[in-house]
Amino acid sequence: MAQHYDLAVLGGGPGGYVAAIRAGQLGLKTVVIDKDNLGGVCLNWGCIPTKALLKSAEMYESLTKRSGEFGLTFDNPGFDFEKIIGRSRDVSSRITKNVEMLVKKNKVDRVRGTGRFVGKNKLAVTDENGAPLEEIEATNVIVATGARPRTIDAVPVDREVIVTSKEAMTLPKLPERFVVVGAGAIGVEFAYFYAALGSKVTIVEMMDRILPVEDEESSAAVAKSFKKNLGVEILTSAKVERATASDGEATVELEHKGEKKTLEADVVLNAIGVVGNVEDIGLEEIGVEVERGAIKVDKATYRTNVENVYAVGDVIGPPWLAHVASHEAIACVEGIKGLDHAPVDYGNIPGCTYCQPQVASVGLTEAKAKEAGYELKIGKFPFMASGKAFALGDREGHVKLIFDKKYGELLGAHIVGAEATELIAELGVAKTLETDDTALLKTVHAHPTLSEAIMEAAAQANGEAIHM
């Protein structure tokens, strides 16, 4: 006999487990179904373990290239690649166990298996071998099955030489030559990690710059740093025609600005984006609409075209970000419960890339603001002029603020440099509160801090910057 729940959550990533916990807090009898450890790609193979890897690379780069600058000396600093990977896996394991505990604490049932719709309100759960485990009935179902790396025929993944981000996190040894196909956040972060540890890294990007969704000045700053400090070769406006693997090596044939080019590599990373996990969960069984690899939903309620069936997170399409999935999950569950809740503001989503220098942004780029018809007032302050950045030895980058000239409204913010991914939250709050340039300028920022650069950028937009 099938167990009955108020809510069944299919998938346990940042959308799924957050939905389940919030439902438990609100008194809904809830079950979350996932065949793997809770946390999804983010906690198991993405956000969290990659940051552990990047921290190791950042520390090694500082020790080997900059220790003398700080009056420190070391004899033959080195690294144990296997231990770097092991620490990352340990961090992931410990945090996913914490999530499992949180789910239990909030009285949410946990089923380890693969769920599939066999009716509008019924899910069949099978084990890793496809054997039936149990049937679950639920008044409401939230699909939060996430996404996986997108692949293309030109870059056939074998998971040993031509790999996805998952395999790139657990390579058995440091590759001498590492080629990254795709220069979004995932590609750029792995490029930094391997280059900082000593791999010869080449980035291949089809667009005309790396981090193409970021402000052009942010992209240029990172590209300059990668070339100067890490020796990374960056090929933009380049199209991969074919990648092949043979005898433990890879060959990448591409066209770069009209010229044919061939790259040899020990490992090639396919980092061209992700696609939603919409297959094999029975969506067609109940008639849920899917378009271009994403479940169609009403972004106010996250309901699909089928009553009482909802979807959140990467499976409903961009932006493919863990924090977006979590906020969608909370909004969805609160709507199911009948609570008043603020909708997710998709115009105020922070984007972060955790290489060095870090990149963070929220709101419109300069180009998008101009396309939208705004007359702009732009303030920019370089960390080169920041006392705290000087003391830290992290003087790369800048803060760039984009204001509507007529009303002073903050339209977008872009930071490149140390702790950019932490600093961006101030600008997200500012946009939420519809803060203008004067308010940012008149807010007293502690000295010395990196955040003073935000205040100075607002001042510079008005011709009032003190330290430049």
Side-chain angles (χ1 to χ4, degrees):
M1 183 176 177
Q3 290 198 64
H4 188 273
Y5 292 89
D6 299 317
L7 175 65
V9 182
L10 193 55
Y17 84 75
V18 170
I21 289 173
R22 185 66 182 125
Q25 290 173 344
L26 294 174
L28 297 175
K29 185 180 179 184
T30 303
V31 61
V32 59
I33 305 160
D34 198 305
K35 69 179 185 298
D36 297 316
N37 294 332
L38 293 180
V41 170
C42 177
L43 273 59
N44 287 281
W45 298 103
C47 316
I48 300 302
T50 56
K51 303 312 162 279
L53 294 178
L54 290 167
K55 182 62 177 179
S56 293
E58 178 189 345
M59 291 181 69
Y60 179 70
E61 185 188 17
S62 294
L63 288 174
T64 55
K65 296 182 179 179
R66 304 184 59 198
S67 57
E69 176 187 339
F70 294 91
L72 306 175
T73 58
F74 298 90
D75 293 330
N76 300 318
F79 61 85
D80 184 322
F81 188 71
E82 187 176 337
K83 286 186 177 180
I84 289 174
I85 300 300
R87 177 180 180 271
S88 170
R89 300 314 310 149
D90 182 59
V91 167
S92 172
S93 175
R94 290 166 67 180
I95 200 165
T96 56
K97 287 177 182 175
N98 289 342
V99 171
E100 298 276 0
M101 289 171 59
L102 286 171
V103 165
K104 184 176 181 180
K105 173 187 172 183
N106 285 279
K107 298 179 173 57
V108 173
D109 286 349
R110 162 75 160 109
V111 174
R112 187 178 285 270
T114 299
R116 178 184 174 86
F117 284 99
V118 291
K120 186 170 74 72
N121 300 102
K122 184 178 286 188
L123 296 165
V125 184
T126 56
D127 66 15
E128 59 184 9
N129 298 313
L133 287 175
E134 61 181 286
E135 284 197 345
I136 290 170
E137 292 182 350
T139 304
N140 302 283
V141 179
I142 295 177
V143 179
T145 47
R148 64 185 183 278
R150 184 185 298 273
T151 58
I152 55 175
D153 292 340
V155 188
V157 171
D158 64 8
R159 304 194 183 279
E160 293 182 2
V161 177
I162 303 177
V163 302
T164 70
S165 56
K166 182 175 181 179
E167 294 79 38
M169 295 189 61
T170 56
L171 293 181
K173 64 180 181 179
L174 183 74
E176 290 185 18
R177 302 161 299 172
F178 188 73
V179 172
V180 181
V181 180
I186 293 172
V188 165
E189 287 182 4
F190 276 109
Y192 172 78
F193 172 71
Y194 282 104
L197 293 182
S199 297
K200 176 64 180 83
V201 174
T202 303
I203 296 174
V204 181
E205 169 57 47
M206 186 171 63
M207 304 295 284
D208 62 356
R209 55 194 174 92
I210 65 171
L211 299 174
V213 301
E214 297 290 350
D215 189 80
E216 288 189 27
E217 290 189 78
S218 296
S219 298
V222 175
K224 180 180 178 181
S225 177
F226 272 29
K227 291 174 184 177
K228 177 183 176 182
N229 298 325
L230 300 171
V232 174
E233 182 180 13
I234 298 175
L235 304 177
T236 54
S237 301
K239 181 181 179 181
V240 174
E241 296 180 335
R242 183 174 63 171
T244 55
S246 178
D247 297 326
E249 296 183 343
T251 300
V252 180
E253 299 172 39
L254 57 92
E255 182 178 308
H256 178 228
K257 297 181 178 178
E259 295 184 5
K260 302 291 185 180
K261 191 175 182 72
T262 300
L263 304 175
E264 305 294 335
D266 301 294
V267 175
V268 175
L269 169 62
N270 170 62
I272 60 170
V274 300
V275 61
N277 293 318
V278 297
E279 304 88 357
D280 303 321
I281 55 176
L283 297 178
E284 67 284 352
E285 192 81 21
I286 60 172
V288 171
E289 291 184 21
V290 175
E291 185 175 77
R292 300 178 65 183
I295 296 174
K296 292 180 66 175
V297 298
D298 171 1
K299 284 289 184 80
T301 63
Y302 301 98
R303 205 193 86 174
T304 69
N305 61 300
V306 178
E307 187 178 8
N308 298 109
V309 177
Y310 304 80
V312 299
D314 289 357
V315 77
I316 68 172
W320 296 287
L321 298 167
H323 43 286
V324 172
S326 296
H327 279 266
E328 289 173 345
I330 291 169
C332 179
V333 170
E334 291 181 351
I336 289 171
K337 184 66 176 178
L339 303 180
D340 289 331
H341 62 278
V344 175
D345 181 358
Y346 289 95
N348 195 21
I349 302 296
C352 298
T353 305
Y354 298 83
C355 55
Q356 296 296 329
Q358 293 182 9
V359 184
S361 61
V362 67
L364 299 176
T365 63
E366 180 179 351
K368 290 294 184 182
K370 287 178 178 176
E371 285 179 19
Y374 288 102
E375 188 176 357
L376 304 181
K377 179 166 58 174
I378 295 176
K380 185 177 174 183
F381 189 80
F383 283 116
M384 185 69 71
S386 161
K388 180 63 179 291
F390 212 139
L392 294 175
D394 291 320
R395 302 179 69 193
E396 287 187 313
H398 59 265
V399 174
K400 178 178 179 180
L401 305 181
I402 300 167
F403 300 101
D404 170 33
K405 187 173 183 179
K406 185 175 182 180
Y407 298 109
E409 177 190 358
L410 178 65
L411 301 174
H414 306 274
I415 307 176
V416 180
E419 305 303 333
T421 57
E422 301 292 337
L423 295 171
I424 199 64
E426 175 180 343
L427 284 312
V429 172
K431 278 192 93 280
T432 296
L433 299 177
E434 300 182 351
T435 301
D436 63 12
D437 54 337
T438 302
L440 282 172
L441 166 59
K442 297 303 180 183
T443 297
V444 178
H445 288 64
H447 175 76
T449 59
L450 294 172
S451 66
E452 287 177 288
I454 294 171
M455 176 183 68
E456 291 274 16
Q460 200 270 337
N462 291 309
E464 300 177 25
I466 299 298
H467 292 99
M468 66 174 292

